[in-house]
Amino acid sequence: MALTIKKLAHVQLANSKGDIYDPAASTIGLVHQIVLHNTNTSAETVELLIHDGSNEYQILKMSLAADDTFHWDFPGEGLVIDANSKITGKTTTASKVTCYICGSEET
């Protein structure tokens, strides 16, 4: 299996739940860091979830102050997102929170 370090996602979150990172078939994503930045002039409520193919589980719900940045590190192997899983999320106001996910993929 090959391991490739890469940007896994770089999106502006919507105000309704949508896919952020969904690995391709036969790929395992290893998330090492998630960075969230609020470009709005007011606080935003950010939610991140993991969908395992059948169920969805909230992994983060936070208020992110105006012009604030949140770094979330996953040491070691990282947060494992297999081919049947994906990261979804949303925020209060569409296109105001940038979400950047870096890590590696095992294929």
Side-chain angles (χ1 to χ4, degrees):
M1 295 193 134
L3 190 65
T4 306
I5 298 170
K6 63 189 289 186
K7 170 180 68 179
L8 302 177
H10 188 200
V11 300
Q12 290 285 115
L13 295 180
N15 60 352
S16 60
K17 193 173 14 173
D19 293 353
I20 298 172
Y21 174 61
D22 187 3
S26 72
T27 299
I28 297 172
L30 305 171
V31 175
H32 299 289
Q33 185 177 60
I34 297 175
V35 179
L36 301 168
H37 179 74
N38 180 6
T39 62
N40 204 352
T41 55
S42 59
E44 290 284 322
T45 299
V46 178
E47 295 181 51
L48 298 180
L49 306 98
I50 292 182
H51 194 288
D52 69 3
S54 301
N55 299 297
E56 201 159 46
Y57 305 94
Q58 189 172 64
I59 58 170
L60 177 74
K61 183 174 184 177
M62 67 176 295
S63 179
L64 191 59
D67 201 34
D68 202 6
T69 302
F70 173 73
H71 295 262
W72 194 7
D73 295 318
F74 299 92
E77 185 175 272
L79 177 65
V80 178
I81 308 295
D82 63 27
N84 296 318
S85 301
K86 61 184 174 181
I87 298 174
T88 62
K90 69 176 187 170
T91 188
T92 312
T93 309
S95 301
K96 294 297 182 180
V97 175
T98 302
C99 178
Y100 180 83
I101 301 176
C102 61
S104 50
E105 285 184 333
E106 191 176 287
T107 54

